[in-house]
Amino acid sequence: MSNQELRAEADAILAELVGDPTGPARLREDQWQAVAALVEERRRALVVQRTGWGKSAVYFVATALLRRRGAGPTVIISPLLALMRNQVESAARAGIQARTINSANPEEWETIYGEVERGETDVLLVSPERLNSVDFRDQVLPRLAATTGLLVVDEAHCISDWGHDFRPDYRRLRAMLAELPDGVPVLATTATANARVTADVAEQLGTGAGEALVLRGALDRESLRLGVVRLPDAAHRLAWLAEHLDELPGSGIIYTLTVAAAEEATAFLRQRGFQVASYTGKTENADRLQAETDLQENRVKALVATSALGMGYDKPDLGFVVHLGSPSSPIAYYQQVGRAGRGVAHADVLLLPGKEDEAIWRYFADTAFPPEAQVRQTLAALADAGRALSVPALEAAVELRRTRLETMLKVLDVDGAVKRVKGGWTATGEPWVYDSERYAWVARQRAAEQQAMRDYVDASQCRMEFLRQQLDDEGAAPCGRCDNCAGPWASASVSSEALTGAAKELDRPGIEIEPRRMWPTGMPALGIDLKGRIPAREQCSTGRALGRLSDIGWGNRLRPLLAENAPDGPVPDDVLQAAVAVLADWARSPGGWASGAPDGTADGAARPVGVVAVPSLSRPRLVGSLAEGIATVGRLPLLGTLAYNGPDGAHTARRSNSAQRLRALSGAFAVPDELADALARTPGPVLLVDDSTDSGWTLAVSARLILRAGAQQVLPLVLATAG
C-alpha cells in the first residue's frame, strides 16, 4: 500500500472517530507523522503536544490501522478513570472495541482478559497501579507484552521524578518494554513536559535520542484568555465567585487546593443558588461518574474540584477554569487550565491566589524521597523478617506515613532492591545505591517551581508566554489575550452583601472527628500488647473541631495560632467563643445531650459532667486556657489534666504512621491521683480538650485512660484537625 493510500485510510478512520464519517476530517501533518511512524515504521515515538492537540486521535487511528494488518490489541497505560471513560466512548465511534482494567471494575477483569485473548478487544486501557499488582505483573503483563500490537503511555510525564506529578507505578513499564517483541511500536504522550522531563521520559522508556521520534509542538493555547484577580482574603474570593460565576462562559471547573476548600466552596455556591458539585479524592466513584456526566451535559455550572479531576478529562466546550488558590507548580497549572477551550474559540482562565496557599504547599510537601537512613531501615526490616511483610507490618519498623512508605517501596521495587509478592514486600538482597544527588536536585526543582508560581502571580509579562517558557517551549511569545497583554478583563469588585454571606459561611465553625476504632497492625512486635478492634468501652466518642488546617475558613485563622514556631499564649477570645458555639451546636445535634433525656437514655447523650485537658509541651497556656474557658462558660468543673511521662516531643504532631505514633504514646500519659478522684466523684461523660489532632491517636490513648479511670464517655473537643 502506498503512503497516500495509507493516509486516506487513516483519515477515514479519523472521520469515524469524530462522529462524521462523511465529513472532511483529516489528520494534521504532525499527527500523520506520528501515525506513520507507528504503523509504517513500527517505531517508538514521544509526542509532547499541548492539551487539545489530538494525541488520542493518533493512537486510536494507529490502533485501527494496525489491527486491520493483523496486529494484536493496543495496551494504553492511562492514569485516571475519567480519561478512561472518555477514551472508551471515543473509540466506540470508530468501531474500536475498548475495555478498561482499573480499581473500579475488578469483577470484570477475568471476562476482559478472556476477550483480549480471543481477539475480541482492540484496546485495553490499564491504570498504572495495576502494573504493580502481583497477579497482574506476574500473570497478565507477560501475556500482554507477548501479544500487544501497540503500547501507549498516556500522560508520560508521570514516569519522571523530575516532573510535577511523578507516579512510581509508571516506572514498572520498563519491564513490559523489555519484554515487547521486536517491531512493536510504542507511543508516549504528554502535554506537560519541559526539556529535562522529556529527556528523562525518553530514557525511562528506553527510547533514546537515536531510536525515538520526538515530536514536540508549540504549547500555545489560542483559545485561552489568562488572568489573575488579587483579592484580600478567602471571604472575598468566595464572594467573587458568587458575584461573577454567571459571567463566565458556559460551564467549567473551579479548582481548589484541598478537599476541605472544595467542600466549603461547593456549600456556599449552592446556598447562593448555583448548580455546582464537588469532585475530590473523597468523592465516591458513583458520585464522580454522575458529576462528570452532569458537567458534560451542562447540567451544572461548574465542578468544584481538587486535582482528582485533572489529566485527561475531556469536555471540548469547557468554557472556563478558575483556581481558588495557586497550585505549587506552573506546569501543573498549565495542565489544569488546559481542560478549557479545546473545542471553543474562547475560554476564560482565572487564578485567585490566597495568602494560605504557601502554608498548604508546605503541608502537602511530604512527598520527597525519604532520607537514606529511613530507606536502609526499611531494607533491613525486610531482610531481617525473612518473609514478606505487609505495609501495615512495616509501619511498626519504619517511621514513615503510609502513602510515603508505599511510594518509596514502589521506587525500590523498580530499582530492584525489593519485590512485591503475595502477602507484601520482600528484600531482594541486590545492591542498591541512594542517589542523593538526584533526590536533592528534585527537591530544589520543587522549590524552584513554587517560586515560579509566585512569579506568575506577580508577572508583568504575558502569562501564556510565561507558562510556555516554564515548559521550555522555544516558540514562546506574547499571546495578546491575557490581562498583561490586553489589560485586565476580570473585575475584582465584590458587593457587601456577597461578602457578608461568604464571611458568614467561612466563620461557621464545627466539624466532626471520627474516633479510632482499630489498633494499628504490628504493635505486639513493638512490645505493645494492643491489636484488633478497640473495645467499645475503651473508645472515645465522635468529637468536634472548629475546623481543618487545610480549609480556607477556620483553617486560615488556626494555622498561624498552631504553627510550629507560633508563641504560646491564652486562647484568643474569638477562638474560645467559636469553641463554645461548636459545643452548643453539638448539644442540639441528633444524639447530642440536648436532644434527649438528660441521663443519656432515648436519643440523647448525657450532658458532660466536667472537662479534662490533654497535657501540652509546646502550647500549655493555649490548651490550659481553652479547657478553663470551656469549663467556665459551660459551668462545668475543670477536673484536671492528664499527666505526661514521656520524652520531650513524643506526642507532638509528627507526620508518621499510626504504629509509630502509638509507639511514641505508649505509657506517655497517666491519670494523676487528683484526676482519678475527681472522675470517681463525678461519674458521667467528660469533655477532653486539646489544641489539635492529626492521627487521632493522642485522643484515643487519652480517652482509653480516662474511661478506664471511671468516666462513662469521652467527648473530644479540639481546635483543629490536620486533614
Side-chain angles (χ1 to χ4, degrees):
M1 176 180 286
S2 69
N3 183 274
Q4 288 184 334
E5 290 173 324
L6 183 64
R7 175 67 186 268
E9 186 180 355
D11 287 340
I13 294 169
L14 177 67
E16 297 283 353
L17 194 64
V18 299
D20 186 10
T22 63
R26 183 174 174 82
L27 289 166
R28 296 191 305 272
E29 286 306 311
D30 46 8
Q31 291 175 312
W32 165 243
Q33 188 178 359
V35 169
L38 297 170
V39 177
E40 282 192 313
E41 304 172 43
R42 306 297 172 100
R43 293 182 66 180
R44 295 184 173 185
L46 174 57
V47 173
V48 183
Q49 298 282 0
R50 70 183 188 276
T51 52
W53 174 83
K55 295 182 282 293
S56 61
V58 169
Y59 50 72
F60 280 138
V61 170
T63 292
L65 292 171
L66 288 166
R67 292 287 281 166
R68 291 177 183 181
R69 285 152 181 78
T74 291
V75 175
I76 302 176
I77 309 301
S78 181
L80 292 181
L81 299 184
L83 174 60
M84 290 185 178
R85 289 188 282 270
N86 290 156
Q87 289 174 324
V88 169
E89 293 168 3
S90 297
R93 289 197 293 268
I96 299 171
Q97 178 68 25
R99 301 299 301 271
T100 70
I101 296 290
N102 59 70
S103 59
N105 67 342
E107 71 284 352
E108 300 177 16
W109 291 356
E110 287 304 318
T111 299
I112 293 171
Y113 294 151
E115 293 173 356
V116 172
E117 290 183 350
R118 294 191 299 271
E120 298 169 3
T121 294
D122 301 308
V123 174
L124 180 65
L125 295 105
V126 179
S127 64
E129 291 73 23
R130 290 297 94 213
L131 301 176
N132 212 38
S133 161
V134 175
D135 287 341
F136 188 87
R137 183 190 67 199
D138 295 343
Q139 299 177 26
V140 180
L141 200 58
R143 298 204 305 267
L144 288 179
T147 60
T148 187
L150 169 66
L151 175 63
V152 177
V153 184
D154 213 355
E155 307 296 350
H157 62 273
C158 295
I159 294 171
S160 175
D161 56 7
W162 308 104
H164 73 279
D165 195 20
F166 169 58
R167 301 188 182 193
D169 290 308
Y170 263 75
R171 297 181 69 180
R172 177 57 55 190
L173 285 165
R174 284 179 173 177
M176 187 170 182
L177 284 162
E179 295 174 7
L180 286 177
D182 291 340
V184 174
V186 177
L187 172 66
T189 70
T190 180
T192 49
N194 57 21
R196 183 60 189 261
V197 173
T198 298
D200 191 40
V201 169
E203 178 186 350
Q204 299 270 5
L205 292 174
T207 54
E211 304 172 17
L213 170 67
V214 178
L215 292 172
R216 186 180 177 93
L219 300 179
D220 188 19
R221 292 290 309 279
E222 296 88 349
S223 62
L224 300 185
R225 181 172 61 160
L226 305 179
V228 173
V229 179
R230 305 291 292 267
L231 296 163
D233 53 37
H236 278 81
R237 283 179 287 138
L238 278 188
W240 186 94
L241 283 174
E243 295 271 282
H244 300 283
L245 188 56
D246 270 338
E247 300 169 7
L248 297 173
S251 56
I253 301 171
I254 301 168
Y255 278 110
T256 66
L257 300 187
T258 67
V259 172
E263 292 173 350
E264 286 175 315
T266 301
F268 174 66
L269 290 173
R270 283 177 173 171
Q271 288 176 12
R272 305 290 295 190
F274 289 100
Q275 293 294 318
V276 296
S278 181
Y279 191 110
T280 74
K282 292 186 177 180
T283 306
E284 293 292 336
N285 186 58
D287 293 332
R288 285 194 186 197
L289 281 169
Q290 186 61 56
E292 290 170 19
T293 301
D294 288 344
L295 184 61
Q296 290 282 357
E297 298 181 4
N298 297 314
R299 291 198 292 262
V300 293
K301 179 64 177 178
L303 295 187
V304 186
T306 62
S307 58
L309 183 67
M311 292 181 295
Y313 181 76
D314 185 20
K315 175 177 167 60
D317 63 340
L318 198 77
F320 65 88
V321 169
V322 175
H323 276 77
L324 199 63
S326 297
S328 60
S329 161
I331 300 175
Y333 183 64
Y334 173 87
Q335 181 191 74
Q336 290 179 345
V337 303
R339 306 273 70 77
R342 294 183 173 195
V344 291
H346 303 288
D348 287 344
V349 171
L350 284 169
L351 173 61
L352 279 57
K355 295 178 181 178
E356 72 276 6
D357 294 349
E358 296 200 25
I360 294 172
W361 297 349
R362 287 191 295 271
Y363 180 79
F364 287 112
D366 192 22
T367 56
F369 199 70
E372 184 172 5
Q374 289 181 315
V375 182
R376 297 292 179 193
Q377 186 181 21
T378 306
L379 293 173
L382 289 171
D384 293 345
R387 58 182 177 83
L389 291 181
S390 65
V391 170
L394 265 175
E395 287 180 332
V398 184
E399 194 164 322
L400 287 171
R401 281 209 168 193
R402 180 167 298 185
T403 52
R404 198 174 180 201
L405 177 58
E406 289 174 336
T407 298
M408 181 188 73
L409 288 167
K410 290 173 182 178
V411 173
L412 293 174
D413 189 5
V414 174
D415 290 345
V418 304
K419 184 178 181 181
R420 189 169 187 176
V421 297
K422 287 281 190 180
W425 298 85
T426 61
T428 64
E430 295 295 322
W432 179 80
V433 176
Y434 187 88
D435 194 346
S436 57
E437 182 177 346
R438 183 181 183 92
Y439 302 139
W441 195 98
V442 171
R444 292 195 298 272
Q445 181 73 3
R446 297 289 183 268
E449 288 175 347
Q450 292 181 4
Q451 183 56 50
M453 204 63 216
R454 297 183 194 101
D455 294 342
Y456 175 83
V457 171
D458 296 331
S460 58
Q461 77 172 102
C462 169
R463 298 197 188 278
M464 181 60 76
E465 180 184 33
F466 182 97
L467 294 177
R468 293 174 67 186
Q469 288 171 344
Q470 291 295 311
L471 284 154
D472 296 324
D473 185 354
E474 295 180 357
C479 69
R481 304 179 300 274
C482 71
D483 57 354
N484 285 339
C485 286
W489 50 270
S491 169
S493 66
V494 172
S495 72
S496 58
E497 185 270 336
L499 183 59
T500 299
K504 183 177 180 181
E505 173 66 23
L506 294 177
D507 285 346
R508 183 180 296 114
I511 60 170
E512 289 191 350
I513 308 171
E514 287 297 320
R516 285 288 188 173
R517 304 188 191 279
M518 299 287 293
W519 297 117
T521 300
M523 297 312 297
L526 296 173
I528 301 171
D529 188 22
L530 297 173
K531 60 183 179 180
R533 178 172 292 278
I534 302 173
R537 65 183 179 278
E538 296 183 359
Q539 288 183 23
C540 65
S541 299
T542 299
R544 296 293 190 277
L546 270 66
R548 306 175 185 89
L549 291 179
S550 59
D551 68 31
I552 57 175
W554 272 96
N556 283 351
R557 176 67 179 92
L558 296 171
R559 271 191 298 271
L561 184 66
L562 301 177
E564 188 173 338
N565 58 353
D568 186 28
V571 62
D573 288 342
D574 64 324
V575 176
L576 176 59
Q577 292 306 312
V580 172
V582 168
L583 282 173
D585 287 343
W586 192 358
R588 292 189 294 266
S589 66
W593 51 89
S595 64
D599 61 355
T601 59
D603 296 326
R607 186 178 190 276
V609 297
V611 178
V612 176
V614 175
S616 174
L617 298 180
S618 57
R619 288 183 280 268
R621 295 180 65 196
L622 177 66
V623 176
S625 62
L626 175 62
E628 185 177 350
I630 291 295
T632 300
V633 174
R635 298 180 181 180
L636 298 170
L638 181 58
L639 301 178
T641 301
L642 289 170
Y644 181 66
N645 304 319
D648 287 353
H651 82 294
T652 56
R654 294 179 301 173
R655 305 197 74 187
S656 184
N657 61 62
S658 288
Q660 294 297 328
R661 292 293 293 273
L662 188 55
R663 180 186 190 182
L665 290 165
S666 178
F669 295 139
V671 179
D673 292 341
E674 298 84 355
L675 177 56
D677 291 342
L679 291 169
R681 291 193 309 270
T682 319
V686 299
L687 286 171
L688 178 63
V689 175
D690 201 358
D691 53 357
S692 64
T693 183
D694 182 2
S695 66
W697 288 116
T698 296
L699 296 177
V701 169
S702 300
R704 181 171 182 257
L705 287 171
I706 296 169
L707 289 164
R708 285 186 159 193
Q712 295 177 0
Q713 189 178 12
V714 174
L715 306 165
L717 175 70
V718 301
L719 298 181
T721 65

